[in-house]
Amino acid sequence: MTRVFSGVKPTGHLTLGNYLGAMRRWAAVDQHRADSLFCIVDLHALTVDHDPARVRRLSRQAATLLLASGLDPELCSVFVQSHVDEHTRLSYVLECVASDGEMRRMIQYKEKAVRERSRGGSVRLSLLTYPVLMAADILAYGADEVPVGDDQAQHVELTRDLAVRFNQRYGQTFVVPRATRPAVGARVMNLQEPASKMGKSEDVGPGIVYLLDEPDVVRRKVMRAVTDSGRGVEYDPQGRPGVANLLEILAACTGGDPVELGGGGAYGSYGELKRDTAEAVVEVLRPLRERHKELCADPAFVEGVLRDGAERARGLARPTVDAAYRAIGLLPAGTVVPTGAR
Ligand code: TYM
């Protein structure tokens, strides 16, 4: 059976981008057709300046939202990365097959390092090595597929490179995974700055729709989205990124096609497009918000799901990570070394 692994980082409140680019498919498709593991990757949240209490809070909230989005613990495993030691055990070994040049070429590293420095802060070493930990997350489980938004494609490509390199040097150990992306909504843009991704970590403000925003807040944000000075609605991501982003969001929420929605003069004005988009987003988020509220009233259920998820994850990851340790030359624990052996 196909194995699927993906994760979300608790660095901010989850956004419409996280949902349309990744989470929605996990619940609607992946958990039904594959052996799936979904992870709150809390160690990754420590790579930039962080508040411990906030990371804890956001981790709990992310777990609750994943379940609210429809992940069913009967069908898939949901767990917290730091509850399974195999991730960090494997990460170190993979650091021994990765190069520092490779790490420095990662787009997200470059962007975030510049941002941290411009704020006068220093760049944590873990920000540089982050993609190796991400590779370990995936390779520990022998995942075949990694459903992610476009911004993670480069990291999954690196994961493939590391898996192939390790297998070539030390013997067949890892499955070489591939990224899968949604046809629509793989890169939702910030409503106020349509040239930038709608990101949860660094930004705040009216250009980001959070999954737990009240319907009126969602409406206000969408109605105030930046469009362009052109007239008429058409799908042209290069020339008219603001309108294209709205069409993309509308299409993702209604199961349509952004090019078709923008063609044929279906929308005479930006106002109409914004209104329909706002209502479509509100409707998509409604069941999620309702289920989230129910789950918040039952924290013991969420805790139980995470406990069971981590236990299953440990059992799956352990043999692969042990195999990698042996392959790279580490002595298995408990081995008796004969006297005089080299
Ligand atoms: P993170 O937490 O930034 O995002 C979680 C998922 O949401 C997708 N996403 C988006 N998709 C479309 N439009 C957007 N604006 C948007 N913003 C975010 C992301 O592509 C991602 O799929 N490094 C990862 C977390 C991670 C991981 C892993 C993922 C750690 N280990 C192993 C997969 C497998 C991250 O920062 O995602």
Side-chain angles (χ1 to χ4, degrees):
M1 196 182 190
T2 304
R3 171 82 48 84
V4 160
F5 181 95
S6 201
V8 60
K9 196 172 54 181
T11 41
H13 296 286
L14 298 186
T15 71
L16 184 65
N18 297 129
Y19 185 70
L20 297 180
M23 291 163 64
R24 188 167 66 151
R25 270 188 309 150
W26 303 349
V29 184
D30 294 315
Q31 68 172 350
H32 298 286
R33 53 169 270 276
D35 176 10
S36 304
L37 297 117
F38 300 108
C39 190
I40 293 98
V41 287
D42 54 352
L43 296 169
H44 290 278
L46 311 185
T47 53
V48 288
D49 195 21
H50 77 286
D51 167 16
R54 184 163 188 264
V55 169
R56 266 192 297 275
R57 217 168 38 241
L58 289 172
S59 297
R60 234 175 253 125
Q61 189 188 72
T64 311
L65 275 169
L66 289 191
L67 295 173
S69 75
L71 292 186
D72 177 352
E74 300 288 321
L75 299 175
C76 67
S77 301
V78 181
F79 67 102
V80 176
Q81 183 188 31
S82 65
H83 295 176
V84 181
D85 293 340
E86 267 49 49
H87 296 246
T88 46
R89 276 182 78 215
L90 182 56
S91 185
Y92 177 74
V93 161
L94 293 177
E95 282 183 21
C96 302
V97 293
S99 73
D100 72 321
E102 254 170 343
M103 297 302 108
R104 289 181 207 285
R105 280 197 294 277
M106 293 291 121
I107 296 163
Q108 288 209 342
Y109 169 72
K110 289 198 258 186
E111 288 174 357
K112 289 187 182 174
V114 167
R115 196 174 302 131
E116 292 287 310
R117 288 199 183 98
S118 72
R119 288 177 184 156
S122 59
V123 176
R124 295 184 181 184
L125 183 57
S126 54
L127 188 66
L128 182 64
T129 56
Y130 168 118
V132 180
L133 179 58
M134 176 160 163
D137 300 338
I138 297 166
L139 298 181
Y141 297 97
D144 305 284
E145 293 179 11
V146 188
V148 283
D150 273 356
D151 62 323
Q152 296 302 318
Q154 193 188 30
H155 292 158
V156 180
E157 209 42 52
L158 174 84
T159 304
R160 291 170 58 85
D161 290 347
L162 296 182
V164 169
R165 195 176 307 154
F166 188 102
N167 289 346
Q168 279 169 352
R169 281 189 196 160
Y170 305 112
Q172 183 61 38
T173 308
F174 295 122
V175 173
V176 181
R178 66 185 186 91
T180 62
R181 65 191 292 280
V184 184
R187 192 170 179 82
V188 177
M189 309 308 273
N190 186 301
L191 296 173
Q192 290 297 318
E193 297 164 47
S196 323
K197 184 188 79 166
M198 186 185 283
K200 68 173 136 46
S201 312
E202 306 82 14
D203 323 297
V204 281
I208 304 170
V209 174
Y210 295 103
L211 298 184
L212 293 177
D213 277 346
E214 298 284 340
D216 277 347
V217 174
V218 173
R219 288 190 186 100
R220 200 161 52 240
K221 287 178 176 175
V222 176
M223 293 308 290
R224 290 186 185 162
V226 166
T227 42
D228 339 84
S229 49
R231 297 182 57 179
V233 172
E234 67 176 309
Y235 185 71
D236 172 10
Q238 302 302 320
R240 324 254 305 259
V243 170
N245 190 37
L246 290 172
L247 285 167
E248 184 100 10
I249 293 171
L250 177 63
C253 291
T254 56
D257 178 279
V259 182
E260 276 173 24
L261 283 170
Y267 286 99
S269 74
Y270 291 163
E272 282 171 52
L273 171 64
K274 286 180 177 177
R275 230 175 347 262
D276 275 10
T277 306
E279 289 316 313
V281 174
V282 166
E283 285 316 309
V284 157
L285 298 186
R286 187 187 304 283
L288 197 145
R289 283 166 41 80
E290 286 170 2
R291 183 86 183 107
H292 177 262
K293 209 163 159 190
E294 287 167 19
L295 286 165
C296 282
D298 193 0
F301 172 74
V302 180
E303 295 282 319
V305 169
L306 296 180
R307 199 175 42 243
D308 295 349
E311 198 176 311
R312 171 154 190 270
R314 267 183 228 116
L316 291 175
R318 186 86 201 227
T320 308
V321 179
D322 283 350
Y325 268 47
R326 280 195 299 279
I328 204 167
L330 300 172
L331 195 62
T335 309
V336 178
V337 184
T339 325
R342 297 168 141 246

